[in-house]
Structure formats: C-alpha cells, structure tokens
Amino acid sequence: ETEEEEEALVDQDVLLAEDFLAQHHATLRRIYKAYSGQGGGGVAIKQDIFLKFCKDCKIPDKKFTENMLPIIFIRANWDDPSATKDANNKTRVAAALNPSEWIEALVRISHSKYSDEKSLYKKVKRLVEHQILPNAQRSDIDSFRRNMKTEEMANVLKKHEYNLLSTFKKYAQAELSHGVQSTFGDVSKDTINVNEFNVFMKEKKLLDSALSNKMVLGIFNNVQSEGDALNENDLESLEMDYTEITE
C-alpha cells in the first residue's frame, strides 16, 4: 500500500468510528447526564465522577490501570492557549469534562486499552459495546416523564395551575443577568432562561444545603430536549417553556 492509500484507510476508519458514536448518541447522552448530575449536581463530569464511571464500566484492568485514567482526563480536558485570541490565556486543565471532551476521553481510553487492535473504529466499538453499554448508569428521563403523566400528578398540577402559570408568566417576563435585580418587562415572556430560573429559586427560598445552585443548573439541563447542548456555557442561551417548568 502507498502512503496515500494508508492515509485514506485511516480517514475511513475515523469516519466509521464517528458514525458508530453518532448511532449511539442518545444512549451516550443519557449516560453522560447520569454522571454529570453526580458529585454536586452540575452539568459536566468532574474527575472523581469520571473515575467512578470508568470503574462502573469495569474499564481498568491489569494492563490498563486506574493510574492511567487521570492522564486520560487531563489530555481530554486540556485547553490550548493557541485556540483563543486572548493573550492572557494560559494552557490549563478545566475542572470537568463537557460532552465533547467526555467523548474524546472515551476514544482515548479505547485507543490505550486495546493496543493490540489497529482499527480505531473496532477499539471504540469494543469499548462501547463490551464495557459502557452493559455497565454504565443512565439518566432514565423517559421513566420519570411517564410517572409525571399519572392521573394523580395531573390532578395536582390542575389544582395549582392558576398559581403555577401566574408565577411562570411573572418570571418569564424578566430578562435577567447574573447579579441583576428582577425587573419585569415584556421580554421573552413565553420562556424562562437559566438566570430567571435561578432568581425564581432564590426568591421562593427553595435553595438550601440539600438543593444547591449547582443542582439547579443540573435540573435546568435535564429538562432540555435531547437536541440541546449540555455544557454550562450553552445553558446561558437555552430557555424553558411552561411544560418544561412543571417538569
């Protein structure tokens, strides 16, 4: 095989791996949500939770040990200063993995764990099918939503519908930024953004040691549709409608 032919085979192998991951997107998303909600209720996977995920999936073994996992975490989480125009930015490691970084970590794990296999696609497939899918926790949002549709739950929401809807409209009419007092106008009145949701939680005195602000971000994230983004920066641009608020 020529060098060009070898490069073409590598490119094809990478495409197969990407297609495989895309086919399992919904399941991997539920797994990501299940673990990102642990360890403080945030919307990204911290290192200790990443280690827990790997142990749940029985990924470490005699050859690919637990000591290799922090290295994988760091490499998948590395911020390159050349990728930004900010002259003050320095190469650093963030505290948690966002969804794309988590997927990168899975690819890195498969590459290191199955060193006897040449194909990246076969490595990723083996990791997902043999380790992750059979063992990982999942966010069972479908079951939760089925429970919400019971007659008992419907009666509770119907009984308090007027007050719930009035409260929703009040906070949906405020365009709020971090640290800004609530001033109610006529902006985005059919939806509530994450800042407005935070103000609602604080003003209703719903936050305490058992329910932190970090957990609120996780709740806001979990009611978003399957197509919406997951990381904290993306949450700034997302909105909840009345149906999502009741959930």
Side-chain angles (χ1 to χ4, degrees), residues 4-193:
E4 290 183 355
E5 289 173 335
E6 289 182 357
E7 289 180 357
L9 288 174
V10 170
D11 290 342
Q12 181 62 29
D13 191 46
V14 171
L15 287 175
L16 287 172
E18 290 176 347
D19 288 343
F20 176 81
L21 291 170
Q23 290 169 16
H24 291 279
H25 168 76
T27 301
L28 291 174
R29 177 185 171 88
R30 287 196 294 271
I31 292 170
Y32 180 89
K33 277 194 170 186
Y35 286 92
S36 65
Q38 298 178 30
V43 294
I45 295 179
K46 298 179 181 179
Q47 183 169 333
D48 59 333
I49 302 302
F50 176 68
L51 298 180
K52 179 182 184 301
F53 157 75
C54 292
K55 291 178 182 178
D56 286 351
C57 295
K58 303 175 183 178
I59 289 172
D61 55 27
K62 291 182 179 180
K63 291 185 177 180
F64 184 81
T65 67
E66 289 184 25
N67 293 333
M68 296 180 178
L69 295 175
I71 299 173
I72 295 287
F73 182 91
I74 290 170
R75 288 178 176 172
N77 202 245
W78 196 261
D79 287 337
D80 185 356
S82 65
T84 176
K85 296 180 179 179
D86 185 359
N88 297 319
N89 186 50
K90 297 180 179 180
T91 302
R92 63 184 178 83
V93 177
L97 299 174
N98 65 32
S100 61
E101 291 168 341
W102 180 66
I103 292 295
E104 179 182 335
L106 300 187
V107 174
R108 287 181 177 275
I109 288 172
S110 69
H111 179 69
S112 299
K113 181 175 175 64
Y114 306 118
S115 56
D116 57 330
E117 175 61 65
K118 292 183 179 181
S119 167
L120 179 64
Y121 159 65
K122 290 181 179 179
K123 290 181 179 185
V124 171
K125 187 174 187 289
R126 185 173 172 184
L127 180 73
V128 172
E129 291 185 344
H130 291 248
Q131 307 298 141
I132 296 176
L133 296 184
N135 300 305
Q137 298 177 24
R138 289 165 174 76
S139 175
D140 194 0
I141 189 64
D142 294 331
S143 175
F144 176 79
R145 285 171 176 163
R146 282 195 299 271
N147 292 335
M148 278 197 63
K149 293 181 179 179
T150 62
E151 182 178 355
E152 182 179 10
M153 180 61 71
N155 289 337
V156 170
L157 292 175
K158 186 67 177 177
K159 178 180 179 180
H160 299 283
E161 183 176 27
Y162 177 81
N163 288 332
L164 287 172
L165 193 55
S166 297
T167 301
F168 168 75
K169 287 182 176 179
K170 172 185 176 181
Y171 288 92
Q173 288 175 354
E175 185 66 22
L176 304 173
S177 301
H178 292 295
V180 176
Q181 297 296 319
S182 48
T183 54
F184 303 105
D186 189 26
V187 182
S188 302
K189 61 183 179 181
D190 295 323
T191 58
I192 286 179
N193 62 35

